[in-house]
Amino acid sequence: MEDIKLCPCGNPISIQECCLPFIQEHLMVPTAEKLMRSRFTAFCLHNADYLYNTTHISQKKYTNKLDILTWAKQNIWHKLEILNSTENTVEFKAYFFDENKIPQIHHEKSTFIFFQDKWFYVDGKFY
């Protein structure tokens, strides 16, 4: 029997059926929440290209792929908890262990925009 890996984003289905098609096959993400979930999975997979490419162009001057990759790799991503979701915002908690193996919680309300037929991460308010 094949070992089925559940998606890190918290949906109770396999990663192959959930977030990988967006990350690896570049399928269109249907909602802001699904983009948030796939971005969390991309952090787990250390896929800085996907994270950078799903950031809105207005915000790219504030970040780069190396910084994204460094932060993704220095942490061990544990789980994602969606607290609230609207059409263009997602409040979530991302649980992880930092580089010193200390448990951390990243609590954010993210804003997304649907631009040129795609969803993009714009920014977030941190708690």
Side-chain angles (χ1 to χ4, degrees), residues 32-33 36-37 81-93 107-110 112 127:
E33 181 178 328
M36 179 60 243
R37 289 181 180 278
E81 178 183 9
I82 302 294
L83 302 174
N84 190 32
S85 181
T86 68
E87 182 182 4
N88 66 340
T89 65
V90 180
E91 183 178 357
F92 68 92
K93 289 183 179 179
H107 184 182
E108 179 178 332
K109 183 175 183 181
S110 298
F112 298 86
Y127 299 96

Side-chain angles (χ1 to χ4, degrees), residues 12-74:
I13 57 176
S14 74
I15 190 172
Q16 291 82 5
E17 295 175 299
C18 194
C19 289
L20 278 186
F22 305 119
I23 296 168
Q24 292 181 344
E25 299 169 28
H26 309 289
L27 294 183
M28 190 168 83
V29 180
T31 66
E33 181 178 328
K34 193 61 185 167
L35 179 60
M36 179 60 243
R37 289 181 180 278
S38 66
R39 286 173 58 86
F40 178 81
T41 299
F43 271 109
C44 295
L45 299 174
H46 308 152
N47 190 320
D49 287 337
Y50 182 77
L51 292 161
Y52 185 79
N53 292 337
T54 57
T55 299
H56 190 259
I57 193 166
S58 68
Q59 302 302 307
K60 287 186 177 180
K61 62 186 170 198
Y62 303 115
T63 189
N64 63 64
K65 290 181 193 177
L66 182 58
D67 288 345
I68 294 169
L69 183 61
T70 299
W71 199 62
K73 284 185 168 183
Q74 75 185 17

